[in-house]
């Protein structure tokens, strides 16, 4: 496993507009699933009037812990393209949420995939990406007799 990983330093935002629909994207540095749940709940509360709150996240330097959510959009048209941007930029310990305000015109499957992908990519491009090391603190206790 690598001892370096890439993440975002602070929250950043992105925007994509298509046929009247607005896609507001937010990328957050995160460390736990609990933190992710709190952020998503806060976004749903703040943007309560939006049609969809789609997201994807990945945790850990090994990059094996992740989740995607389409929040009512057709299967794999929102969460998967958002997650694809996390992979493309090789990020972890990040959450990306894209809030959609429906503009009255359906975009179709390919239009939705493109819109969610571009909104997520815009948020990442507006973020400060940092490289961090995997740090673990170990405490070892032993008696003086076994020092050598």
């Amino acid at each position: 496993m690598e001892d370096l990983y890439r993440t975002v330093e602070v929250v950043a935002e992105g925007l994509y507009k298509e046929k009247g629909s607005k896609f507001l994207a937010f990328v957050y540095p995160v460390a736990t699933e609990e933190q992710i749940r709190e952020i998503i709940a806060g976004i749903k509360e703040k943007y309560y009037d939006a049609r969809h709150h789609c997201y994807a996240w990945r945790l850990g330097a090994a990059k094996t812990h992740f989740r995607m959510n389409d929040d009512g959009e057709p299967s794999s048209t929102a969460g998967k393209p958002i997650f694809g941007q996390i992979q493309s930029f090789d990020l972890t310990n990040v959450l990306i949420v894209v809030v959609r305000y429906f503009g009255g015109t359906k975009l179709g499957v390919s239009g939705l995939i493109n819109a969610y992908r571009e909104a997520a990519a815009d948020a990442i491009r507006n973020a400060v990406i940092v490289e961090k090391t995997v740090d673990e603190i170990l405490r070892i206790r032993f008696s003086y007799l076994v020092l050598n």
Side-chain angles (χ1 to χ4, degrees):
M1 179 177 80
E2 280 287 320
D3 61 347
L4 290 175
Y5 63 92
R6 291 164 43 95
T7 190
V8 295
E9 191 169 45
V10 293
V11 179
E13 299 180 14
L15 174 66
Y16 182 78
K17 293 180 181 179
E18 179 74 30
K19 295 182 181 173
S21 284
K22 257 184 17 182
F23 297 83
L24 309 173
F26 306 91
V27 59
Y28 295 86
V30 291
T32 66
E33 283 191 58
E34 179 60 33
Q35 188 182 13
I36 290 167
R37 283 190 289 275
E38 288 172 10
I39 292 168
I40 292 168
I43 285 181
K44 286 183 176 183
E45 192 175 303
K46 183 175 181 178
Y47 299 97
Y48 65 91
D49 54 341
R51 178 78 59 94
H52 303 281
H53 307 84
C54 306
Y55 62 87
W57 55 262
R58 178 157 70 176
L59 291 175
K63 302 173 187 162
T64 55
H65 197 55
F66 59 89
R67 196 138 292 114
M68 299 162 250
N69 186 301
D70 294 321
D71 191 38
E73 292 284 27
S75 181
S76 299
T77 60
K80 203 169 181 179
I82 295 168
F83 186 69
Q85 291 307 300
I86 292 172
Q87 291 175 307
S88 293
F89 285 86
D90 193 30
L91 301 175
T92 192
N93 288 7
V94 294
L95 162 68
I96 299 177
V97 181
V98 179
V99 176
R100 179 185 183 191
Y101 284 95
F102 185 62
T105 304
K106 293 191 176 201
L107 304 180
V109 170
S110 62
L112 285 172
I113 290 169
N114 183 59
Y116 282 102
R117 180 182 61 236
E118 289 305 314
D122 191 46
I124 295 170
R125 283 191 294 269
N126 292 331
V128 176
I129 296 175
V130 292
E131 219 170 57
K132 292 192 173 186
T133 58
V134 176
D135 299 323
E136 291 183 26
I137 298 172
L138 302 175
R139 183 182 305 252
I140 302 171
R141 298 181 73 155
F142 53 90
S143 69
Y144 180 75
L145 293 175
V146 294
L147 188 60
N148 289 336

